[in-house]
Amino acid sequence: MRKTDIGKVKIWWVRYRVLKKKMQEKMKNYYTPYPINHTLFISSKRLVVSVFFLIFILTSLSCIQKREIKYPSEIHPTEEYNQAVNTYNEGDFDKALNLFDRFEKKHPNSLFLPKLWYFRGIIYLSKKDYDRAFLDFSKASTQIPDAKRYIKNIFSLVNAQSLVKGVKFIQSKTLLPQVLFTAAKKLYKTGKEKDALKIYKKVCDDFPETSYGKEAKRIISKKKLINIGVLLPLSGTYKDIGEEIKKGIIVASYYRDFYPIFSDTKGNPITAYKMAKKLKDRKIKGFIGPILDINILTVGTISDIYKIPLISPTATDESLEQLSPYIILINRSLTMEGKAIAHYAYSELGFKTAATLFPATHYGRTLENVFVREFNSLGGNVLVEVSYPPEKTDFKQEIIRIRDKNPELIFIPAYPEEISLIAPQLKYYEVKSQIFGGDGWKNNSLLESNADKGYMEGVVCADLPYSPDSIFISKFQEVFGNKPSRHSALGYDAANLLFTILNSRGNFLKLKKAIKIPLAAGFFNNEGGIQKVPIFIISNGTYKKVN
């Protein structure tokens, strides 16, 4: 009871005592012919006490009721939603998820739900839970336009069941056929051919004029597709490269009659071997990957023993092809770089003498060997070849040794971190020769850090060969909404080349020599490579293309 109520009760009690005393005094002076009925008086007294006690109880109950009414009520939905969003904005994602889930259960028809799904999708995306993220973004896409962007970026990473669940919420006529088509491909890959064909038919019927509708129609007519095993690092150190290559393979599969079965090698040669064995047991017709030279050493044995063609999108050691006639490398960028630099230096600029300074690594040795071989074959003369260990920081002896030979040019195929040490030392020791470099010199961060000092001014360097055609770029943008990277192009090239070989009739070994196919970033049979290598000169702190 509140203090004010207790005070009222006390006042009532005092008034009752005063009134009682006055009544007793009046009764003494009051004349009556009849004797006083003391029993009746006692009963009356008890009645008054009872009434007072009843009033006291009712007053107490009244006070309790008032306290219940003033107890905090349920939080308003708007406040509840704001509380959840504030928690999200503070970065406490686990707590925000609980609040979002509770809000959705309590208010299933709330107008706040689309925003809630959108925020929850971002949380799941940060946790790399692509299936839940896709479902939330799909539901949010009806009201939140930005959710479509996230759907485009992740739907290829979502499993078939989640795609089927989420696709019913998507209303975009440009996005819907892509997601449906991907769901069908994934269902087919997991052995659910009937379910896949139903979705293909829906794509064909509802979106006949799109590329997905046309491709679905073609798939339905053939029904049987080629299964290809893909060995990529989808986790670990090289996962970013693996994911980019995967995108290129996915785009190629939309326009070719094959299904890529992706396996995560984690960049580990033993894991790559185990994954390759599992894929072989699934009777795949060919391998795309691995991407690392060392992993091909293990997987190449399976390729050779079972005569399964293997195309690596990124491996650079061309000697690996000598392990088995079934191994094909398309990333001949180092070979092409070395040749292109030698041709530009001798044929375009007229240099006749050269020297080389290179790291004792696979990258450095490959570029240097190709350059020397090509430059000499053109009629030039390499006066001295100087190598250095990768951890080298002081290049005084190497630079003076080369300077004393007085070559017209020095070819330095170094890494960016080494170039930042070599470039100022070349200037310090007053080297007058023209400097040529590989793709390590084509680095914007490196150029910016040396721009005010002029250490790299006048250097001629090559970049990685990459000349995607407009058709590939258009296809990639249609699927992923952005331009393809060079690694995506290499994945696309590997998939197209492997499919062309598998789909052609005849002996594989003969096809390997005879087949010709234009590639976006890779090279097959070393044909026409040097024309695709871009060459730049550093002038006034910027790269200017010269070929």
Side-chain angles (χ1 to χ4, degrees), residues 8 342 375 424:
K8 290 179 181 180
F375 191 77

Side-chain angles (χ1 to χ4, degrees), residues 172-182 203 207 210 212-213:
S172 170
K173 292 184 179 179
T174 57
L175 190 56
L176 184 56
Q178 296 181 44
V179 179
L180 284 169
F181 192 89
T182 303
V203 177
F207 309 96
T210 66
Y212 301 100

Side-chain angles (χ1 to χ4, degrees), residues 285-303:
K285 300 298 182 182
F287 289 114
I288 298 176
I291 70 169
L292 302 177
D293 294 344
I294 190 171
N295 289 358
I296 294 177
L297 291 173
T298 58
V299 177
T301 57
I302 296 176
S303 173

